[in-house]
Amino acid sequence: MDFAIIAAGEGSRLVQEGITTPKPLINIQGSPLMERLIRIFMNNGATSISVIVNEEMTEVQDFLQTLNLPVPFHLHIRSTPSSMHSFYELSRYLTNDRFCLTTVDTIFREEEFSGYIRAFQNSDTVDGLLAVTDFVDDETPLYVKTDCEMRICGFFDHPPTASSTPYVSGGIYCLRRSGIDVLEKAISEGMSRMRNYQRHLVSEGLYLKAYPFSKIIDVDHAEDIQKAGEFLKR
C-alpha cells in the first residue's frame, strides 16, 4: 500500500508565534513530525512513501534527501495553492489500488492508526475510509455526518444537527483509485481545498466510511507542540 505526506504548507501561524523550526521538523516526543510519520508508515507495511514539500523548505528537503528507506521514496518539491493541489501532485506516485494520505502535522496514537489501516485493507467494499474524531480543537473544523453504520453522508462547516455526534475530519485519508479519478475531475473543474474535494467524493457517489480515533491533534500553533507531546506521553 502506498503512503503519502502533504508538507507543502508554510506553517505561517507557527512562524508568527516565534517557532523558527520548519513544521515538518518540529520535535514531538523525541522525533521530528516527518520522521515519526515515515516510521509509522513503515511499521504498517508501506510499499512506497511519497512526500511533497514547498520550494522554500530547503532544510526539510535536505533532511529528506538523507533518508535511506527500504521502499521506493519520492520527494516532490513544489509550492501549491492548497493541500488538494498538493494531493494532486502526489497522485502520480500513488500507483497501487489503495493508498493512505495524511498531512505532516497530524498527531494520533500509533495503535489506533494500525487498526485503521487494517480495517481499510480488510474491506473490499469501501472506496475510502476516512479518519474522524470527536475531539474538536480547530478554528475551522470540517464536520462529518454519518449514518448508523458509519457511512459518510456529508461534510459541513458547522455541526449538521444539534443531536448528532460531532465528528470532525482528522486529516487522514485511506482511498482507492476511484478517489484519484474524482480528484482529477475536481482539479479540471477548478475546485480547491481538501474539504471541497471530500464533499465532491460524496456527490460523486463514492462509498465512504468514517473510522473514529479517540483524538487527533493538528500542530498549527506553538501551544499544540506541548499538547501533542503530552498526548503521546499519556
Side-chain angles (χ1 to χ4, degrees):
M1 189 165 122
D2 297 323
F3 286 78
I5 303 171
I6 295 174
E10 298 176 353
S12 56
R13 286 172 290 190
L14 287 166
V15 173
Q16 291 169 3
E17 294 170 6
I19 304 300
T20 58
T21 303
K23 183 188 281 193
L25 301 183
I26 288 175
N27 194 294
I28 305 290
Q29 284 293 101
S31 296
L33 289 170
M34 181 71 74
E35 184 179 75
R36 177 179 184 268
L37 280 177
I38 291 173
R39 174 181 57 78
I40 292 172
F41 292 169
M42 291 303 305
N43 289 342
N44 284 276
T47 57
S48 78
I49 296 176
S50 304
V51 178
I52 181 170
V53 300
N54 67 45
E55 294 159 6
E56 291 73 33
M57 282 189 175
T58 55
E59 189 176 347
V60 180
Q61 295 169 29
D62 292 342
F63 170 80
L64 291 170
Q65 287 167 348
T66 66
L67 296 180
N68 183 19
L69 300 180
V71 299
F73 176 71
H74 309 287
L75 172 58
H76 193 80
I77 301 171
R78 184 160 183 176
S79 300
T80 63
S82 74
S83 54
M84 192 187 91
H85 288 83
S86 294
F87 177 21
Y88 180 70
E89 293 291 327
L90 287 172
S91 65
R92 70 190 68 185
Y93 308 112
L94 306 175
T95 56
N96 286 319
D97 179 53
R98 297 170 187 262
F99 63 90
C100 178
L101 172 79
T102 185
T103 52
V104 73
D105 60 347
T106 305
I107 297 294
F108 47 80
R109 288 200 171 95
E110 294 184 38
E111 63 272 18
E112 290 187 315
F113 183 81
S114 296
Y116 168 62
I117 295 299
R118 286 195 301 270
F120 178 59
Q121 291 176 326
N122 291 335
S123 175
D124 294 326
T125 58
V126 300
D127 294 300
L129 188 65
L130 277 56
V132 299
T133 179
D134 60 7
F135 175 74
V136 183
D137 187 33
D138 193 287
E139 294 98 332
T140 57
L142 179 63
Y143 290 89
V144 183
K145 183 179 179 181
T146 63
D147 65 14
C148 60
E149 296 180 346
M150 295 302 288
R151 179 165 184 163
I152 295 175
C153 307
F155 296 93
F156 303 89
D157 294 328
H158 304 282
T161 63
S163 60
S164 64
T165 301
Y167 285 128
V168 296
S169 175
I172 313 172
Y173 317 93
C174 276
L175 294 164
R176 302 184 74 166
R177 292 297 307 175
S178 52
I180 292 181
D181 294 338
V182 173
L183 174 66
E184 292 173 348
K185 183 177 180 180
I187 289 288
S188 70
E189 295 175 356
M191 192 175 294
S192 185
R193 302 190 72 190
M194 279 297 287
R195 62 181 54 205
N196 292 329
Y197 165 70
Q198 291 177 75
R199 292 180 175 120
H200 207 42
L201 290 171
V202 174
S203 65
E204 287 292 308
L206 269 64
Y207 181 19
L208 306 177
K209 293 192 74 172
Y211 187 95
F213 281 61
S214 61
K215 183 184 287 189
I216 297 175
I217 297 175
D218 290 338
V219 182
D220 291 323
H221 296 280
E223 64 180 15
D224 295 332
I225 299 173
Q226 182 176 352
K227 283 184 187 177
E230 291 174 351
F231 169 55
L232 293 181
K233 185 176 180 180
R234 287 197 299 269

